[in-house]
Amino acid sequence: MTKIFETPLYPYSRHPDQDAASPARHKVIVLGAGPVGLAAAIDLAQRGVPVVVLDENDRVSSGSRAICFSKRTLEILDRLGCGDIAAETGVTWNKGRVFFDERDIFEFNLLPEEGHKRPAFINLQQYYLEQFLVERAQALAAEGKPIEIRGRNRVEAIGRHSDHVRLEVETPEGPYELQADWLIACDGANSPTRRMMGLDFVGRVFEDNFLIADVVMKADFPTERWFWFDPPFNRGQSALLHRQPDNVWRIDLQLGWDIDREAEKQPERVIPRLKAMLGEDVEFELEWVSIYTFQCRRMEKFRHGRVIFAGDAAHQVSPFGARGANSGLQDTDNLCWKLARVLDGSAPESLLDSYDWERVYGADENIMNSTRSTEFITPKSEISRVFRDAVLDLAARHDFARPMVNSGRLSVPCIYDDGPLNTEDSAEMPACARPGAPLPDAPLGDGWLLDALGRDFTLLAIDTPCPEPANQAEVTVLPLSAKDNPILAKRLLGAQSGALYLIRPDHHVAARWPNHDALAIETALRRSVAMQQGGWNA
């Protein structure tokens, strides 16, 4: 298992930019070759935007790190060309189980309905996802797409100007300078970019510590998410168990606040805790151990001129709920189509302010849910603990109490209600597909709705005629029928006999109508790219 950590996937090699008489200028530079930075680079390259990724490392991250990837993330990965290999390699799961003390109190299903291409979640070690993304980027480069990854290129200084960003880069062969029209900072929770720009997070750090242990073992636990409140092997605390590929299991154990973090990571402390949980006779091998603290924080703004932050560099949430990496992929999915349009001149720069509005909104939603989870999992007063335990007792016997149990509200896609690019909705159609929501998937014969959408805007014409829009270069018309497709009818039509949907490049609904109105469609399209009269105010 350690070979993947030891093999450089994008080894350092000297680039002509290092010998240029003056700093080379690039359209977009991405800092960080983790999942978020690589996703951003692949998205841009597929749109024909030249992009350079800089990372001080040259290989995948050590340890499993992020492991739970949501249905929405898999749909994004489908558009990046990595969805199939991620889904095939990962462990699929839809169900979870909650325990209190020694009791199995209830189970839940995150995707109880049929008619979706992707499951609610897969578990997949972050190092595998990074490998798949690197290989996809390299395949695109081999096809002639404008993408490159430069390993062991560490940014030491950033200078911001009105029309570009200047970077001082350190390499094994010395420093050099680069310029970028736009810089996307995906350099993690301890973002050097954020530090060099004198920016910080606002939010809360919770007084608790959790042990992450990835262990290799053969076990017959089902492929479900198991969460314990006050288990006998970790009294007064919580625990979590997840299965990963290659017989790797993720175990999270709450430790409390007043601990020696370094001591608790040592095998002589970790192994007895795991044996208490798994049993003395279970054979296992430690693969990776870490200690983390709940943090629910974000930057006040994600866009600072020509520097744009995404992923953990922009926001942090507690791991329970799988909202970190999943929200980071939603960041890049939101940003890259907008940046591509700004670069090709088909949208004003103000379109990028909608990234700030929508993804700050998404971060606040994640922080709210993560904070609530943290407060339920780790009550900070006796009365809070009494309330929590009463809820758990009721949930063992009564359905009404189960929604009140919060073992980590699991990641779902953000709906940009009241978002600046939405067209006001007056149609009486299903709420799940309202403006601002990601379009729900549905089967289409031998394929799937989301796979049938174009890379740019798509106009779905469901059982209603739709002449070609005025700006055909920007919109692909996709005629569909729901007459023999009850799932499509339920999710997109409701009681209507037909409908038109304008879908953004990131598959969020921009507008919808029960029948065709050419002027309304054109107005909605202009609003979706911040081109309507007078602009918009975030």
Side-chain angles (χ1 to χ4, degrees):
M1 291 301 297
T2 58
K3 178 181 278 189
I4 193 171
F5 305 141
E6 298 169 355
T7 305
L9 292 181
Y10 40 96
Y12 169 78
S13 63
R14 190 170 185 85
H15 193 278
D17 285 357
Q18 294 170 251
D19 301 312
S22 58
R25 181 85 167 249
H26 295 275
K27 287 288 186 184
V28 180
I29 292 178
V30 174
L31 301 186
V36 177
L38 290 168
I42 291 168
D43 195 332
L44 290 168
Q46 290 184 157
R47 298 179 189 281
V49 176
V51 58
V52 176
V53 182
L54 304 180
D55 196 290
E56 63 179 328
N57 206 341
D58 60 5
R59 64 200 71 192
V60 300
S61 301
S62 62
S64 297
R65 300 181 184 269
I67 64 165
C68 297
F69 296 99
S70 68
K71 177 178 180 291
R72 176 64 175 163
T73 291
L74 289 171
E75 292 164 356
I76 294 170
L77 291 174
D78 280 335
R79 300 200 293 280
L80 300 180
C82 302
D84 285 343
I85 190 170
E88 291 163 4
T89 308
V91 173
T92 294
W93 64 278
N94 293 319
K95 292 183 178 180
R97 194 174 293 275
V98 177
F99 301 86
F100 179 34
D101 196 350
E102 298 186 70
R103 290 180 290 159
D104 180 351
I105 59 174
F106 72 92
E107 67 175 38
F108 57 87
N109 190 338
L110 294 166
L111 195 66
E113 61 181 10
E114 296 181 351
H116 294 272
K117 177 182 177 181
R118 296 304 186 192
F121 278 91
I122 64 165
N123 285 352
L124 179 71
Q125 294 92 320
Q126 181 174 318
Y127 50 76
Y128 275 134
L129 181 58
E130 289 183 13
Q131 178 184 354
F132 301 153
L133 290 166
V134 168
E135 290 171 350
R136 174 60 177 161
Q138 292 169 339
L140 288 171
E143 296 169 8
K145 295 293 186 183
I147 182 172
E148 61 173 303
I149 307 173
R150 299 185 191 176
R152 301 186 69 188
N153 275 240
R154 184 178 69 251
V155 175
E156 296 282 3
I158 294 174
R160 291 188 290 157
H161 303 270
S162 61
D163 65 342
H164 73 281
V165 182
R166 181 183 58 81
L167 305 176
E168 295 180 11
V169 185
E170 186 62 55
T171 76
E173 296 182 313
Y176 72 111
E177 290 190 9
L178 290 173
Q179 293 181 0
D181 291 349
W182 295 91
L183 181 70
I184 306 177
C186 307
D187 47 353
N190 297 316
S191 170
T193 306
R194 198 177 62 240
R195 186 186 67 248
M196 286 185 279
M197 291 175 59
L199 302 171
D200 203 354
F201 285 132
V202 294
R204 295 176 62 184
V205 177
F206 289 86
E207 294 186 357
D208 222 317
N209 292 285
F210 288 77
L211 171 75
I212 292 178
D214 280 351
V215 302
V216 181
M217 67 176 177
K218 292 184 179 180
D220 57 1
F221 303 119
T223 305
E224 299 174 345
R225 178 188 193 264
W226 283 10
F227 191 97
W228 287 264
F229 291 96
D230 193 19
F233 54 83
N234 197 29
R235 275 295 175 211
Q237 310 286 5
S238 63
L240 177 67
L241 178 69
H242 266 295
R243 183 176 194 159
Q244 305 174 64
D246 305 324
N247 291 319
V248 177
W249 294 79
R250 162 67 55 82
I251 296 170
D252 289 51
L253 294 173
Q254 183 183 357
L255 300 181
W257 180 243
D258 188 18
I259 65 169
D260 184 330
R261 292 167 63 92
E262 287 304 313
E264 291 294 347
K265 290 193 292 185
Q266 301 309 309
E268 58 267 25
R269 294 279 189 95
V270 175
I271 290 173
R273 290 185 182 278
L274 298 182
K275 285 188 173 182
M277 177 181 184
L278 302 170
E280 288 290 336
D281 297 332
V282 175
E283 295 184 3
F284 60 85
E285 178 183 337
L286 288 177
E287 182 177 84
W288 181 65
V289 174
S290 184
I291 302 282
Y292 66 86
T293 300
F294 277 174
Q295 300 188 45
C296 295
R297 309 188 297 168
R298 68 165 172 85
M299 299 176 70
E300 291 189 11
K301 297 193 307 177
F302 295 174
R303 181 191 172 199
H304 293 261
R306 288 179 173 261
V307 181
I308 303 172
F309 290 82
D312 286 350
H315 45 75
Q316 288 179 278
V317 291
S318 66
F320 288 137
R323 293 175 179 270
N326 288 300
S327 63
L329 270 291
Q330 290 182 52
D331 288 348
T332 62
D333 195 46
N334 185 293
L335 171 63
C336 291
W337 71 268
K338 298 174 181 178
L339 183 55
R341 278 185 164 267
V342 170
L343 284 165
D344 71 16
S346 63
E349 192 175 309
S350 61
L351 179 60
L352 296 175
D353 293 329
S354 73
Y355 165 77
D356 194 86
W357 192 101
E358 290 178 336
R359 294 313 301 155
V360 166
Y361 180 92
D364 284 344
E365 180 177 270
N366 282 326
I367 288 170
M368 176 190 70
N369 281 291
S370 191
T371 299
R372 289 176 177 174
S373 297
T374 303
E375 290 173 341
F376 192 87
I377 293 168
T378 62
K380 297 301 184 288
S381 68
E382 184 57 30
I383 191 63
S384 296
R385 183 175 294 277
V386 168
F387 169 79
R388 187 201 68 180
D389 291 354
V391 168
L392 292 169
D393 278 328
L394 287 168
R397 294 173 283 118
H398 302 289
D399 289 346
F400 81 88
R402 290 171 185 174
M404 300 169 65
V405 175
N406 194 334
S407 63
R409 294 279 187 260
L410 287 152
S411 177
V412 294
C414 181
I415 298 175
Y416 306 128
D417 285 318
D418 302 319
L421 306 186
N422 297 352
T423 291
E424 185 176 353
D425 185 36
S426 59
E428 295 182 0
M429 288 189 279
C432 66
R434 64 189 182 271
L439 186 71
D441 203 5
L444 295 180
D446 294 333
W448 296 93
L449 174 59
L450 296 184
D451 289 343
L453 300 180
R455 188 171 295 282
D456 211 319
F457 282 85
T458 302
L459 191 62
L460 297 182
I462 309 171
D463 291 318
T464 189
C466 179
E468 292 289 341
N471 197 337
Q472 296 182 34
E474 293 185 346
V475 182
T476 300
V477 176
L478 179 61
L480 298 172
S481 177
K483 291 178 180 177
D484 296 315
N485 191 333
I487 294 176
L488 183 66
K490 177 183 177 181
R491 292 175 188 168
L492 298 189
L493 294 184
Q496 300 290 339
S497 60
L500 290 165
Y501 277 80
L502 180 63
I503 310 302
R504 299 177 358 176
D506 58 4
H507 292 182
H508 281 258
V509 177
R512 62 183 182 177
W513 308 269
N515 42 54
H516 180 258
D517 183 330
L519 178 59
I521 293 170
E522 182 64 23
T523 300
L525 179 60
R526 290 179 62 81
R527 181 174 184 83
S528 297
V529 294
M531 293 281 285
Q532 76 281 15
Q533 186 69 31
W536 59 271
N537 295 314

